[in-house]
Amino acid sequence: MAMLEVRNLQVGFDTPEGEVQAVRGIDFDLEAGDALAIVGESGSGKTQSMLALMGLLAENGHASGEARFRGRDLMKLSPGELNQYRGAKIAMIFQDPMTSLNPYLNIEKQMIEVVMHHQGLDRREARAHAIEMLRAVRIPDPEQRIRQYPHEYSGGMRQRVMVAMGLLCEPDILIADEPTTALDVTVQAQINQLMAELRRSSNTAIVLITHDLGVVAGLCDRVLVVYAGRVVEYGTVEQIYYQPRHPYTRGLLASVPRLDAVRGAGLNAIPGNPPNLLDLPAGCSFRQRCAEAFEACGEEPALRDLGDGHLSRCHLEPEQ
Amino acid sequence: MTGHAGILRHAIQRLLGVIPTLLVLVTIAFFLIRVAPGGPFDAEKALPAEIQANLNVKYHLDEPLVQQYLRYLGQILTFDFGPSFQYKDWTVNELIGEGFPVSLTVGGLAMLLAFVVGTVIGVTAALRQNTAVDYGSMGFAMLGISIPNFVIAPLLILLFAVFLGWLPAGGWDWSLNRMVLPVITLALPVIAYVARLTRGSMIEVLHSNFIRTARAKGLPERAVILQHALKPALLPVISFMGPATAGLITGSVIVERIYAIPGLGSYFVQGALNRDYTLVMGVVIFYGLLIILLNFTVDMLYAWLNPKIRYDEKR
Amino acid sequence: MELGDVKGRSPWEDAWHRLLKNRAAVTSAIIMGVMVVVVVLGPMLSPWEGDFTDWDHTFSPPSFATGHWFGTDAVGRDILVRTLEGGRISLLVGLVATLVSLAIGVTYGSVAGYYGGYTDRVMMRAVDIVYAMPFMFFVILLMVVFGRNIFLIFVAIGAINWLDMARIVRGQTLSLKNTEFVEAAQACGVQRRDIIVRHIVPNLLGVVIVYATLTIPQVILVESFLSFLGLGVQEPMSSWGALVNDGAQDLESAPWTLIFPALVLTVTLYCFNYIGDGLRDALDPKDRL
């Protein structure tokens, strides 16, 4: 039994226009120390699926399915029970470090409350632990800076604080939702490197949510490609990068800018837009944008095992 | 603490901004009264010229207007509002000294009641958004805003004094049971505003990213609300205290009249009807000063509670 | 994807649809519509004149038998007709004073916001200063100094209420100024005045409508307040505030003289506030979830 088993996870949102089916059945397993990337465009449901297992959906959202963490189904827990896992066993850091920290409380207050609550440390111990954690994420002069407020930190520093805060209780899983999207490129690399190191030193499993296949390779072992709320391809980094099977994955890879590309070749964007989640067309949801679509695509393909754990949701035969 | 220098500079800047406001206040009040047709002593019957002249000298009404103005400004600087035109043996300072403690007691209690009850209602409604509790309290709040206090007051008297006989209909003797109805009347619209304001800002804060972070940390909901959401949600409410005071002062004019309370508002209305120039000016300037000072205090409080202002001013 | 089913829907249509979904606002608008018609036509249809004193029925309670549906006051005047006639004044004050404050506020705010820089700073500093004044006391002073007359009430209230409007319009103008369509107009050499009139003002309409709707009840309230203190409209003219004042005097013996005008006044203020709220929700899609 894997540490985390997610089965048929579904998320919907009630809107005045009808129900938006943001996530329509996602499955994956996560073992201790794993690093899984969930890749997809904005609106593909990658963030919402993770928020659902953290119990953080917006008020109009609802989730179903199973998410067994060490045997307990997170989806069935009351908010009080879930709080024993959130922050302690499973931590999550968010896309926008500028707004994800409370601007009215200093860093110390925001960090020590986590360990005081989950581990019952007293204020002094909690503070010492928080300073140690800040040092681990290379915040300079943490004894002084811990007293400062979030706006006195730069964007990259804030995301480091978020990472430090997430790791305070040595969680089994760290979910990082596009942690570097809002940051400068150089800072992005630093944060990614930081997470890679922390994973190695503490055996924390990482779930990296991103739309950028470029950052995945250095950090993750396996990739889950999500499109319109469903898994369309799953495999190791090597399988996804070198033998992508789903036309959507191939499109994503082709749209990553490359230094070795032929001059003037331009970027290969995937034409069209993701389907309307309020009113999904029948059949394969990528059909309208797919250059290789044929008659069979009128029917939704199943997720097929292509061998070696490589899964793809496409009617095309591997030879093609 | 790192922020003190920033707050101090902020305070000095704001204080400097208060000076022109005060000057304009005094100037408008002074000239408005002086251009008024009909002096204080020609209201009833023509006085003998000698007496009129004596009065004019006594009150400096014979000097050129500019000189009178400068003299008045000088007096204001020493907080001397001069003698009352109407209450012969009283100075305006003494009249304010008589009336203000009464008004302050009623107003202060109303303010306290309004902010405590208003924030509690607002937070409760926000946490139960789109439930019967929310709709009920917001409908009630809208009613509180819409019913003028001069309508509420007679209705309260009718119910609690006339029909039920629980409370006195008016009058003043510093006893608590004479304060109940005036305080409630005065507080009601402020409760309603504060409740709406609190609900709105609380809902906004609850949707912010940092609240999601707090929840992701596994903090109990109580801690999320009390330690993370409450302070930012109450900031707009704190800045509402300035306008609320102005509203309470205005309302006190009505409330003091209906409940026959000898407060400053009663003196003001009486002074206005009697053309008691110095008294009316004194009260306007006094209240203007009070509002300005209160706005200043609220501003400081806001800056002190908001780390971002502390920081920005420091740079 | 087919484009056939995509119909152009202007933001105004969107707002209109949102407004129609707001039951409180729609109900309020209907009530106010009826109220206006009744207030305007009612006195003409009534058998009583507002100042007719029915000495056979002084302080008569509400009754269909006497023909005084809302009862009469101390001198036998019909409360219903007086309430309707008072309503004409109150609503008129609300409308006219709001228009005055609208005209001053929009002009002032859009000029300050559009010209910006030094002009803006000076203009808004002036607003700040006036804002800090105990405004009700000045209105009372004005009434005392210049005597009571209805024209002065319009001007005094309107001239003081424009401050909020000016602030809101300025803020909105500042953000509009930096939009691309205004920059495009500037790049094309359109004159400043024309930009303000053609591009800025129409785009301010939403906020202005919302704010104006919320100003009407405020103004009615101020007028009632003055009339209640005996500083507003003079006999034989009447307004809701004056009627409430009269009624409050005879509270114990004839509560109907208070209750009917008070009820009508409160319902009116309530409705305007709900309409304003509904318009704000409809025109400001920011907090749609």
Side-chain angles (χ1 to χ4, degrees):
Chain A
M1 192 176 66
M3 179 173 67
L4 176 69
E5 294 178 343
V6 174
R7 293 290 175 270
N8 193 27
L9 180 65
Q10 307 206 12
V11 179
F13 292 93
D14 298 319
T15 69
E17 286 82 27
E19 199 204 3
V20 171
Q21 295 175 288
V23 180
R24 303 182 294 145
I26 282 184
D27 305 62
F28 65 89
D29 288 352
L30 197 68
E31 294 289 357
D34 268 359
L36 172 72
I38 302 184
V39 178
E41 289 166 295
S42 24
S44 59
K46 54 192 191 311
T47 298
Q48 295 306 331
S49 58
M50 291 302 108
L51 288 177
L53 25 127
M54 294 290 283
L56 293 174
L57 289 177
E59 284 135 39
N60 61 339
H62 47 83
S64 64
E66 280 181 24
R68 294 194 171 274
F69 174 76
R70 299 196 185 286
R72 292 281 311 263
D73 186 355
L74 299 176
M75 312 294 287
K76 292 199 173 61
L77 297 182
S78 70
E81 290 169 323
L82 195 56
N83 277 340
Q84 296 170 352
Y85 292 87
R86 298 197 283 203
K89 305 285 182 209
I90 308 176
M92 184 160 181
I93 62 178
F94 299 98
Q95 180 169 4
D96 185 0
M98 309 308 270
T99 59
S100 293
L101 288 165
N102 189 331
Y104 300 97
L105 300 175
N106 66 13
I107 300 299
E108 175 175 350
K109 177 81 188 61
Q110 300 188 52
M111 290 188 79
I112 64 172
E113 65 182 358
V114 186
V115 266
M116 286 171 74
H117 175 67
H118 287 299
Q119 301 185 333
L121 299 188
D122 68 29
R123 186 169 292 273
R124 202 179 46 80
E125 295 165 334
R127 187 179 139 83
H129 185 46
I131 289 173
E132 190 187 311
M133 227 40 240
L134 287 179
R135 189 168 286 129
V137 298
R138 285 187 230 102
I139 298 286
D141 196 12
E143 289 87 353
Q144 296 304 315
R145 299 219 59 165
I146 195 169
R147 278 191 253 146
Q148 293 185 321
Y149 287 86
H151 61 263
E152 296 172 81
Y153 282 65
S154 68
M157 297 259 271
R158 282 189 223 186
Q159 198 59 292
R160 280 162 198 249
V161 170
M162 286 296 289
V163 173
M165 203 181 274
L167 296 172
L168 273 172
C169 296
E170 291 163 13
D172 295 322
I173 304 174
L174 177 70
I175 302 171
D177 181 7
E178 310 223 12
T180 57
T181 306
L183 305 176
D184 287 347
V185 181
T186 48
V187 182
Q188 280 184 14
Q190 292 168 3
I191 297 283
N192 286 329
Q193 198 189 351
L194 181 69
M195 286 198 294
E197 277 170 33
L198 292 168
R199 176 190 164 207
R200 246 173 279 134
S201 59
S202 63
N203 206 33
T204 299
I206 289 177
V207 177
L208 177 72
I209 303 172
T210 181
H211 62 266
D212 180 3
L213 271 171
V215 304
V216 169
L219 192 57
C220 300
D221 331 303
R222 289 179 305 141
V223 182
L224 193 68
V225 183
V226 183
Y227 185 76
R230 285 216 167 134
V231 177
V232 293
E233 187 160 6
Y234 173 77
T236 62
V237 168
E238 288 75 22
Q239 287 167 338
I240 296 293
Y241 274 63
Y242 300 112
Q243 294 135 23
R245 288 300 168 75
H246 197 284
Y248 176 65
T249 314
R250 291 206 285 262
L252 276 183
L253 283 166
S255 63
V256 175
R258 296 167 65 113
L259 285 176
D260 59 353
V262 183
R263 225 168 217 272
L267 284 175
N268 297 302
I270 305 174
N273 290 308
N276 181 359
L277 294 174
L278 274 167
D279 183 22
L280 282 159
C284 174
S285 43
F286 189 59
R287 186 170 41 134
Q288 279 86 356
R289 300 170 74 185
C290 182
E292 298 161 72
F294 60 112
E295 311 90 82
C297 300
E299 212 165 294
E300 168 96 60
L303 201 56
R304 284 195 297 165
D305 194 337
L306 309 168
D308 300 331
H310 189 174
L311 309 176
S312 169
R313 191 186 291 278
C314 186
H315 291 298
L316 290 172
E317 290 306 315
E319 292 78 33
Q320 284 175 273
Chain B
M1 279 295 287
T2 51
H4 280 173
I7 289 207
L8 198 66
R9 180 180 293 181
H10 188 72
I12 291 169
Q13 277 177 359
R14 288 300 160 126
L15 266 182
L16 289 177
V18 161
I19 294 169
T21 313
L22 271 178
L23 206 62
V24 171
L25 174 73
V26 174
T27 310
I28 295 180
F30 180 84
F31 284 101
L32 202 58
I33 287 287
R34 292 301 146 118
V35 299
F41 303 110
D42 57 19
E44 274 134 59
K45 58 181 179 184
L47 292 163
E50 274 176 45
I51 297 178
Q52 179 75 52
N54 278 344
L55 278 173
N56 282 351
V57 171
K58 185 177 170 197
Y59 292 113
H60 307 289
L61 295 176
D62 54 341
E63 292 172 2
L65 207 57
V66 177
Q67 208 171 328
Q68 288 183 40
Y69 170 66
L70 291 176
R71 178 186 300 279
Y72 193 70
L73 265 188
Q75 282 179 6
I76 300 293
L77 283 179
T78 58
F79 289 99
D80 174 12
F81 295 114
S84 161
F85 275 3
Q86 206 67 34
Y87 302 87
K88 292 286 187 272
D89 299 325
W90 293 79
T91 65
V92 173
N93 288 38
E94 285 167 340
L95 289 173
I96 292 177
E98 283 287 301
F100 184 59
V102 177
S103 299
L104 182 66
T105 307
V106 177
L109 286 174
M111 187 86 152
L112 197 69
L113 183 72
F115 276 83
V116 171
V117 176
T119 47
V120 169
I121 294 179
V123 170
T124 313
L127 296 180
R128 308 244 187 297
Q129 204 192 343
N130 298 333
T131 63
V133 176
D134 182 23
Y135 293 135
S137 45
M138 285 306 112
F140 173 77
M142 189 61 114
L143 199 64
I145 289 173
S146 302
I147 300 190
N149 44 23
F150 56 85
V151 169
I152 281 285
L155 292 179
L156 286 179
I157 293 175
L158 201 61
L159 183 63
F160 290 103
V162 179
F163 289 151
L164 297 173
W166 292 353
L167 293 163
W172 185 256
D173 58 4
W174 291 97
S175 70
L176 205 61
N177 65 342
R178 288 197 195 273
M179 294 183 195
V180 175
L181 289 184
V183 167
I184 290 178
T185 309
L186 208 48
L188 216 56
V190 188
I191 292 178
Y193 269 109
V194 171
R196 279 166 58 95
L197 197 62
T198 310
R199 175 184 179 270
S201 71
M202 190 64 169
I203 288 175
E204 201 178 316
V205 170
L206 286 177
H207 282 131
S208 60
N209 283 347
F210 64 82
I211 293 299
R212 188 178 60 184
T213 307
R215 293 213 167 105
K217 288 197 265 188
L219 301 176
E221 190 64 14
R222 240 178 77 87
V224 172
I225 302 298
L226 293 180
Q227 292 173 25
H228 285 267
L230 201 58
K231 191 169 147 187
L234 288 185
L235 279 176
V237 179
I238 285 170
S239 42
F240 177 65
M241 282 172 82
T245 313
L248 282 179
I249 290 174
T250 310
S252 72
V253 173
I254 293 271
V255 168
E256 289 176 8
R257 183 185 147 119
I258 297 177
Y259 292 103
I261 297 172
L264 205 45
S266 302
Y267 285 107
F268 178 75
V269 174
Q270 215 45 51
L273 294 171
N274 290 340
R275 296 185 188 286
D276 190 340
Y277 286 0
T278 43
L279 176 59
V280 167
M281 262 195 295
V283 174
V284 169
I285 291 167
F286 180 76
Y287 270 151
L289 200 70
L290 198 72
I291 293 173
I292 290 167
L293 282 181
L294 208 103
N295 276 328
F296 173 75
T297 315
V298 166
D299 207 47
M300 288 302 105
L301 193 64
Y302 190 90
W304 181 67
L305 287 173
N306 192 340
K308 187 130 192 192
I309 292 187
R310 262 189 283 182
Y311 178 69
D312 288 347
E313 294 290 329
K314 201 168 60 184
R315 310 192 110 188
Chain C
M1 254 210 246
E2 294 97 327
L3 285 166
D5 59 339
V6 182
K7 253 188 290 173
R9 195 161 148 188
S10 78
W12 290 104
E13 281 174 79
D14 257 358
W16 180 244
H17 283 281
R18 278 197 293 275
L19 185 63
L20 288 184
K21 271 193 209 156
N22 186 332
R23 258 179 289 159
V26 172
T27 315
S28 299
I30 293 171
I31 294 176
M32 279 329 294
V34 174
M35 179 89 81
V36 169
V37 172
V38 172
V39 159
V40 172
L41 299 179
M44 299 177 204
L45 303 175
S46 163
W48 315 103
E49 294 288 321
D51 50 1
F52 172 76
T53 49
D54 185 350
W55 291 108
D56 297 335
H57 300 103
T58 58
F59 274 150
S60 102
S63 132
F64 289 111
T66 58
H68 298 293
W69 295 356
F70 283 13
T72 59
D73 66 8
V75 291
R77 288 178 296 191
D78 185 71
I79 298 292
L80 175 58
V81 177
R82 280 179 58 79
T83 303
L84 294 179
E85 289 188 350
R88 287 179 172 181
I89 298 292
S90 287
L91 291 177
L92 193 67
V93 171
L95 197 67
V96 175
T98 299
L99 289 177
V100 172
S101 79
L102 205 69
I104 304 177
V106 172
T107 314
Y108 197 96
S110 55
V111 168
Y114 188 76
Y115 284 86
Y118 187 72
T119 319
D120 178 41
R121 270 204 301 282
V122 171
M123 286 176 85
M124 292 328 282
R125 189 78 196 96
V127 168
D128 285 345
I129 288 175
V130 185
Y131 207 82
M133 305 287 144
F135 123 77
M136 197 48 122
F137 289 74
F138 274 118
V139 177
I140 293 176
L141 264 186
L142 279 175
M143 291 300 142
V144 171
V145 168
F146 295 108
R148 296 183 275 161
N149 83 50
I150 190 151
F151 178 72
L152 189 64
I153 295 179
F154 291 151
V155 174
I157 298 175
I160 286 166
N161 251 297
W162 62 272
L163 294 168
D164 283 315
M165 184 68 87
R167 281 185 166 178
I168 291 167
V169 168
R170 168 188 171 265
Q172 197 74 6
T173 309
L174 272 182
S175 55
L176 275 175
K177 195 169 77 167
N178 297 321
T179 55
E180 275 137 30
F181 66 87
V182 170
E183 279 172 9
Q186 281 168 334
C188 296
V190 181
Q191 288 204 332
R192 271 188 176 188
R193 210 193 51 207
D194 289 344
I195 291 182
I196 292 182
V197 172
R198 298 232 180 96
H199 294 278
I200 305 276
V201 173
N203 280 291
L204 289 172
L205 219 55
V207 231
V208 170
I209 289 174
V210 171
Y211 196 73
T213 316
L214 290 170
T215 304
I216 295 175
Q218 281 179 28
V219 169
I220 293 178
L221 195 60
V222 173
E223 189 282 325
S224 311
F225 180 100
L226 290 174
S227 291
F228 180 83
L229 286 178
L231 293 164
V233 296
Q234 276 176 303
E235 295 276 351
M237 244 198 271
S238 192
S239 77
W240 286 333
L243 289 172
V244 171
N245 187 25
D246 291 349
Q249 318 290 327
D250 306 322
L251 182 64
E252 290 176 43
S253 49
W256 57 88
T257 56
L258 167 70
I259 287 170
F260 286 111
L263 192 69
V264 174
L265 172 61
T266 304
V267 167
T268 303
L269 297 173
Y270 205 58
C271 288
F272 271 118
N273 279 324
Y274 263 124
I275 298 171
D277 256 26
L279 282 171
R280 176 164 49 203
D281 292 346
L283 288 168
D284 184 10
K286 184 181 67 186
D287 46 26
R288 258 191 313 163
L289 247 166

